[in-house]
Amino acid sequence: MKSLVIAEKPSVARDLCKAVGGKFAKHDEYFESDDYVITSAVGHIVELCMPEDYDKRDAFWRLANLPIIPEQFKLKPIEKTESKYKSIKKLMKRKDIETVVNACDAGREGELIFSYVYKLTKSKLPVKRLWMLSMTPAAIRKAFDELRDGEEMKNLADAAQSRSEADWLIGINCTRGVTKRLYGSRAGNVAGVGRVQTPTLAIVVERERLIESFKPRDYWRIVTDFGITNGSYQGVYQKPNFKKGDDEHNRIDRIWDEAEAKQVAADLEGNPVALVSEEKKKSRQAAQRLYDLTTLQREANNRFGFSARRTLQLAQSLYEKHKMITYPRTDSRALPEDYPDTVRSTLQNLESTLGEVATRPVSNNWVNPGDKRVFNNKQISDHFAIIPTADSAKKLNDDEAKIFDMISRRFVSIFYPSAEFAITTRVSEINRHNFKTEGKVLVSPGWLEVYGKSVTVAGVDDTLPALDEKDGEPAKAQVDGFELLAEETKPPPRYTEATLLSAMEGAGKLVEDDELADAMKEGGLGTPATRAQIIERLIAERYIERDHRALCPTPKAETLLDFLTCINAEALTKPELTGEWEYKLHKIEDGELDREAFVKEIIGMTEKIVDSIKNFQENDDDLLPSDLKSPIDGQPLFESMRAFKTKGDQKPEEGEKDTRFAIYKIIGNRKMDVAELRELLEKGKVGPIDNFRSKSGKPYSANLFLDPETRRVKFDFGNGDGDSGSADFSTMTPVAKCPRTGGDVFETPAAYVVRVMEGSKETTPIRVSRKILDREIPLDQMMKLLADGKTDLLDKFWSKRTKRPFDAYLTLQDSGQTKFEFPPRAAKKGAKKATKKAAKKATKKAD
């Protein structure tokens, strides 16, 4: 008789065959020896049934059908991997199989993958558990020698199943309920709600609201040029007796009072002499720890602009296709304590790609098995850190090579000594005013050598020339000049994928309850394997848009969060919900909480939220006053969740004037500014306005006008005919010929449009708004854009993100769309001197 071993992934199945030994015959879906049949899933291959699988009527989303709470949850194979499920089921029914060994990953999700397959097959075979934290052959053989009884894992399986069912209950019911309340029967509009994705979205929206409400404050900084025997340096004014308080914008170099700043500047007039003192100290910097997936995604986004999803794809390719790295979907940054020998062989193998720096830790005996930053079983959950394998190098594409290089250098560098720096802090005092300068010299590169860094030549810091005996005792410096810089505080930046991944990982810090925060400290919002997917889902559902590397919430996102607040379902927007679930799931794992009690509690929560969704009604008492006026009778409009409207929705009696009016805050998938709505209400029209969005997410510009008969807002794309998307060019006179296409250039109220006629067929390949980000585009610049593909440098565009004006060129793409091209940044103060110094060095070298 034989044991059927089910691994989570095909690669693990192959590793198990190599480790247990014996002769294995390879079949299409499994390997077989005298003692074992080893097969695998491909991750999740079984899922919970959908509502329509219980009742076909639930294929249609109806509020009346909610909440949907199955009496007993049913399972079904995932359609795209059903063949894999059928193969495992067939193996389970073989007469010669007497035991099933669960060899899925050691953790909650691995347990769920196996238990769902086992339940759906209705197998009665006894179960054993192969619990592996390391994939070395020795560790695998040891795990086979110490197989656990399947019953020992019951609590872990219960916790996994409870999490799965709870996510189903909240996700299915809240998504359907909120969608029907916000969008009714409008096709294509889905308001996805989930325990992880909704708090993640709330983090992004909260940051956006901070940016929108931010009010800049003026401050002044003073930068002074000092001259000594060996050269010149700059110092920055430091406020005396500075103490950092609750004001996050307060800094030791920021002066908040202009008169005070000018008084300090006045004391610098006449080129006075400064007394100079300095302090030297040594600093050590250890190498960064090994990568987990989130850290790898974060750094790849910062360095190369890769999305979290793209980084995961590249890492999966390196793992599955090339077999050059270990399993990437991990939240651990440590290695198993039995891994030193594997580490040494891997380092030797990396010599072919990194050179001698890779083998130095082995030759110098720097691989220390007792280093708990590297080898630590307590810091390993389902998987260990991402490192290279000892497999030979394969041919990689450019992006794969970048990720492999990151992983390889991080792996090699952690076994190197710390880098050592000499830090000099210099204070130049003038009339009791202190100006600070810092210099940093690399004395010993240590692990930085893996990244190509070497000791600064002769230990000299080019940015901070050394004091000389000629400067006196105490040393003195001459003030060569100074600059009083007027600046203002800036709002917090929008999230990038890198910073959002950090926020998701550290979401437990936002939870006030210590027990809940402690339950989240290992995971945060989502897992390393799911965070990229969550971000992509938010983008796919049009809650978030990418603006270069920034992630911007859409009006749809704000509408969802406002609605959840209105129905008192804010718990769905906060990480505390995940913290509470994790706390209770850990209790289920420890046998301290019954799984049925947890699911019953989630059912109660679901019923309560659905009831709030169904019964939500905004009353007049809930409306907020505004300064907008109704265009019908001049009466004030009041702000509701989605619109500015008159009070009272009652239809007037026959013969009475209907004075009901409402104007929505979001028009054309764009959140309207109150000033824009005010102009529309007072003048009956406004525009052209940028950044409306089509259903496909494509931006467009248009005028808006208020139809006096229907009292509805309509679009005007150029000829005043409301929702028509094209102008009637037969009634218009072209202003020029397009040098690019040979077509006619027309000037509509909203845009410049190039029309090309091919026989009787009319196309408009190029359309450029006449007003972009509050900046009028004159006709001569439009013609330059058509002729050269680029305008002159235009000023006074207004950034919706930073709330600041900026200068840019407009460029014309092959698609007919325009993009911004930014001029080079102005050199910072002091950069000119550095450039001159570099040029002088280059001249000497050439001579």
Side-chain angles (χ1 to χ4, degrees):
M1 300 295 284
K2 300 181 180 184
S3 294
L4 173 63
V5 181
I6 302 176
E8 188 168 319
K9 295 169 288 293
S11 60
V12 176
R14 290 190 293 270
D15 290 339
L16 297 181
C17 292
K18 294 175 185 175
V20 297
K23 187 176 181 181
F24 278 87
K26 185 180 184 304
H27 299 269
D28 285 345
E29 298 284 352
Y30 61 95
F31 303 90
E32 186 168 2
S33 70
D34 293 339
D35 300 313
Y36 297 103
V37 175
I38 299 180
T39 187
S40 75
V42 281
H44 285 278
I45 59 174
V46 172
E47 64 183 352
L48 293 171
C49 286
M50 295 300 288
E52 54 268 30
D53 296 319
Y54 298 93
D55 188 334
K56 291 183 179 179
R57 290 173 294 181
D58 284 332
F60 301 97
W61 293 19
R62 297 185 181 94
L63 271 176
N65 293 0
L66 301 180
I68 299 170
I69 300 172
E71 289 185 15
Q72 184 173 358
F73 280 95
K74 298 177 182 178
L75 299 168
K76 67 177 182 180
I78 295 174
E79 186 175 349
K80 67 179 182 180
T81 55
E82 188 170 3
S83 62
K84 175 62 74 172
Y85 165 75
K86 288 180 177 178
S87 170
I88 293 175
K89 182 178 180 181
K90 185 177 180 180
L91 292 172
M92 279 187 168
K93 292 185 179 300
R94 276 178 41 167
K95 301 291 187 183
D96 59 341
I97 300 296
E98 64 175 356
T99 306
V100 182
V101 178
N102 174 7
C104 292
D105 292 344
R108 190 191 296 163
E109 283 307 297
E111 203 63 33
L112 185 67
I113 289 170
F114 174 83
S115 64
Y116 272 180
V117 171
Y118 185 79
K119 283 185 178 182
L120 188 57
T121 60
K122 297 183 171 57
S123 175
K124 302 297 182 184
L125 292 169
V127 176
K128 296 292 183 181
R129 185 53 156 114
L130 186 74
W131 193 262
M132 303 173 296
L133 295 179
S134 170
M135 289 300 294
T136 62
I140 293 172
R141 287 191 289 270
K142 183 180 179 184
F144 268 101
D145 291 339
E146 299 174 356
L147 284 173
R148 302 182 184 184
D149 191 273
E151 276 300 305
E152 291 182 44
M153 314 310 296
K154 181 180 182 302
N155 291 340
L156 183 62
D158 282 350
Q161 188 173 332
S162 300
R163 193 279 308 155
S164 177
E165 292 174 3
D167 276 336
W168 191 99
L169 288 166
I170 292 294
I172 293 290
N173 286 287
C174 294
T175 294
R176 291 188 174 205
V178 173
T179 297
K180 294 303 292 182
R181 282 312 304 262
L182 289 181
Y183 302 115
S185 299
R186 280 180 278 170
N189 288 289
V190 176
V193 178
R195 170 181 61 95
V196 175
Q197 79 170 49
T198 305
T200 300
L201 181 62
I203 290 172
V204 179
V205 171
E206 182 181 359
R207 173 64 60 86
E208 190 72 13
R209 288 175 171 171
L210 281 174
I211 294 170
E212 289 177 352
S213 63
F214 184 80
K215 291 181 172 51
R217 294 160 56 194
D218 294 331
Y219 67 88
W220 290 262
R221 294 171 65 248
I222 303 174
V223 179
T224 304
D225 295 322
F226 296 98
I228 55 177
T229 301
N230 287 326
S232 61
Y233 63 93
Q234 289 187 328
V236 179
Y237 174 73
Q238 310 286 287
K239 290 186 294 193
N241 305 317
F242 172 78
K243 290 183 180 178
K244 189 165 180 62
D246 296 332
D247 183 356
E248 62 176 320
H249 293 287
N250 198 12
R251 307 275 195 281
I252 194 170
D253 62 340
R254 293 181 176 181
I255 307 171
W256 298 104
D257 181 67
E258 184 177 12
E260 180 184 342
K262 287 182 175 179
Q263 181 57 56
V264 175
D267 291 342
L268 302 177
E269 296 288 354
N271 297 338
V273 172
L275 293 177
V276 182
S277 60
E278 63 182 24
E279 178 184 286
K280 294 180 181 290
K281 64 178 182 180
K282 288 187 176 179
S283 173
R284 293 169 60 86
Q285 182 184 26
Q288 294 174 300
R289 297 192 67 190
L290 298 170
Y291 283 122
D292 61 9
L293 178 59
T294 300
T295 311
L296 180 67
Q297 289 170 318
R298 195 164 59 224
E299 293 196 14
N301 181 256
N302 282 331
R303 288 182 61 182
F304 308 119
F306 292 163
S307 69
R309 180 185 183 187
R310 177 62 177 154
T311 300
L312 179 55
Q313 288 173 340
L314 294 168
Q316 280 294 125
S317 177
L318 289 168
Y319 168 67
E320 293 177 357
K321 179 181 176 182
H322 302 296
K323 301 183 175 48
M324 290 175 63
I325 65 169
T326 56
Y327 186 66
R329 296 171 182 256
T330 175
D331 60 358
S332 175
R333 304 187 70 179
L335 297 176
E337 292 172 8
D338 63 356
Y339 236 62
D341 287 342
T342 303
V343 162
R344 292 185 185 96
S345 63
T346 303
L347 288 167
Q348 296 280 14
N349 182 64
L350 286 173
E351 185 176 21
S352 62
T353 54
L354 298 185
E356 186 264 341
V357 293
T359 57
R360 201 175 300 164
V362 179
S363 57
N364 290 346
N365 200 28
W366 288 342
V367 179
N368 177 12
D371 186 349
K372 292 300 182 183
R373 290 184 77 233
V374 182
F375 304 105
N376 195 331
N377 287 347
K378 292 181 179 178
Q379 295 181 7
I380 296 172
S381 52
D382 300 12
H383 305 280
F384 51 80
I386 307 171
I387 63 171
T389 65
D391 274 26
S392 58
K394 314 290 194 308
K395 186 175 181 181
L396 306 177
N397 64 39
D398 288 346
D399 288 351
E400 289 170 338
K402 288 175 181 175
I403 297 300
F404 182 71
D405 186 73
M406 287 176 64
I407 294 168
S408 299
R409 292 186 189 278
R410 178 67 69 95
F411 170 67
V412 172
S413 67
I414 201 168
F415 300 107
Y416 269 67
S418 296
E420 296 181 7
F421 299 88
I423 297 176
T424 302
T425 302
R426 182 175 295 172
V427 176
S428 307
E429 181 186 345
I430 309 165
N431 295 334
R432 300 182 307 282
H433 301 309
N434 289 336
F435 295 81
K436 181 180 175 182
T437 312
E438 282 197 344
K440 188 175 183 180
V441 178
L442 182 61
V443 176
S444 175
W447 63 274
L448 287 172
E449 190 172 354
V450 179
Y451 292 88
K453 299 292 178 68
S454 57
V455 177
T456 307
V457 179
V460 175
D461 182 356
D462 283 345
T463 64
L464 187 60
L467 295 174
D468 190 274
E469 290 181 0
K470 296 177 183 177
D471 295 318
E473 182 61 42
K476 297 180 177 61
Q478 184 70 36
V479 173
D480 293 336
F482 67 90
E483 190 171 2
L484 178 60
L485 304 172
E487 301 177 359
E488 63 180 20
T489 55
K490 296 179 181 179
R494 278 176 169 160
Y495 281 104
T496 62
E497 289 205 34
T499 54
L500 182 56
L501 287 168
S502 295
M504 294 172 74
E505 186 178 40
K509 297 173 185 175
L510 306 174
V511 177
E512 294 183 3
D513 187 288
D514 290 340
E515 285 185 324
L516 304 187
D518 189 60
M520 286 184 71
K521 70 181 181 181
E522 295 177 4
L525 284 172
T527 67
T530 62
R531 285 178 191 134
Q533 180 183 347
I534 290 162
I535 294 173
E536 292 297 330
R537 187 185 305 150
L538 289 171
I539 293 170
E541 293 185 7
R542 306 236 173 87
Y543 282 128
I544 289 176
E545 294 176 338
R546 285 190 176 99
D547 179 8
H548 301 290
R549 293 193 183 185
L551 298 174
C552 315
T554 64
K556 179 182 178 182
E558 296 191 51
T559 300
L560 171 67
L561 295 178
D562 288 343
F563 179 71
L564 292 176
T565 299
C566 287
I567 65 170
N568 297 316
E570 288 177 290
L572 293 173
T573 72
K574 298 185 182 301
E576 278 88 348
L577 181 62
T578 287
E580 184 178 342
W581 284 21
E582 285 299 324
Y583 174 71
K584 291 176 179 176
L585 291 171
H586 284 316
K587 281 188 168 294
I588 294 173
E589 289 177 17
D590 295 337
E592 299 174 11
L593 179 66
D594 183 63
R595 121 169 182 78
E596 281 73 19
F598 172 78
V599 175
K600 185 177 180 181
E601 185 179 324
I602 301 302
I603 289 172
M605 177 184 180
T606 303
E607 291 173 334
K608 184 178 178 181
I609 294 174
V610 169
D611 187 61
S612 297
I613 292 171
K614 285 182 170 181
N615 297 317
F616 171 70
Q617 191 69 43
E618 244 180 340
N619 300 314
D620 283 353
D621 292 341
D622 299 321
L623 303 180
L624 300 173
S626 79
D627 62 353
L628 299 180
K629 299 286 196 304
S630 169
I632 299 172
D633 55 9
Q635 292 300 307
L637 297 179
F638 293 83
E639 184 177 2
S640 70
M641 186 185 76
R642 299 177 62 190
F644 292 94
K645 56 186 288 189
T646 51
K647 283 190 173 182
D649 291 323
Q650 293 295 324
K651 189 175 181 180
E653 297 290 336
E654 188 174 346
E656 290 184 355
K657 185 179 180 181
D658 187 356
T659 59
R660 293 175 300 168
F661 178 79
I663 188 167
Y664 287 99
K665 298 177 181 178
I666 296 172
I667 300 174
N669 294 314
R670 179 191 187 275
K671 184 179 180 182
M672 302 294 294
D673 291 337
V674 174
E676 293 168 340
L677 293 177
R678 184 181 295 109
E679 184 176 345
L680 178 59
L681 294 172
E682 291 175 357
K683 298 181 180 179
K685 61 182 181 179
V686 64
I689 295 175
D690 301 318
N691 292 324
F692 292 110
R693 296 276 173 172
S694 67
K695 288 185 178 180
S696 65
K698 186 178 179 181
Y700 64 93
S701 303
N703 294 292
L704 296 179
F705 74 92
L706 198 59
D707 189 316
E709 293 184 8
T710 64
R711 302 175 184 177
R712 291 185 177 180
V713 176
K714 292 189 175 182
F715 288 97
D716 179 3
F717 292 98
N719 62 339
D721 65 348
D723 290 325
S724 171
S726 61
D728 181 4
F729 296 113
S730 65
T731 63
M732 303 170 65
T733 302
V735 294
K737 279 286 184 183
C738 174
R740 181 173 292 251
T741 65
D744 292 322
V745 181
F746 290 90
E747 188 175 0
T748 75
Y752 298 107
V753 182
V754 175
R755 181 193 65 169
V756 176
M757 298 296 297
E758 296 178 2
S760 61
K761 185 181 178 182
E762 176 184 279
T763 60
T764 54
I766 301 174
R767 185 182 188 281
V768 178
S769 296
R770 290 177 58 184
K771 188 176 184 181
I772 298 176
L773 294 183
D774 292 340
R775 210 274 188 207
E776 296 285 349
I777 309 300
L779 178 59
D780 66 314
Q781 290 300 318
M782 175 61 188
M783 297 310 299
K784 186 173 180 62
L785 180 67
L786 293 173
D788 304 337
K790 183 176 177 179
T791 66
D792 294 330
L793 183 63
L794 303 177
D795 62 0
K796 297 182 180 177
F797 290 105
W798 184 259
S799 170
K800 302 290 186 184
R801 179 171 62 88
T802 64
K803 310 299 182 186
R804 291 167 176 259
F806 66 91
D807 301 344
Y809 302 94
L810 277 182
T811 62
L812 188 62
Q813 309 300 301
D814 291 339
S815 62
Q817 301 293 310
T818 55
K819 284 191 175 181
F820 289 117
E821 180 181 307
F822 299 97
R825 289 188 176 182
K828 292 183 178 179
K829 184 169 177 61
K832 187 180 292 185
K833 292 181 180 179
T835 303
K836 287 181 178 178
K837 190 177 290 184
K840 190 174 181 181
K841 281 185 177 180
T843 303
K844 284 183 179 179
K845 190 174 181 181
D847 291 343

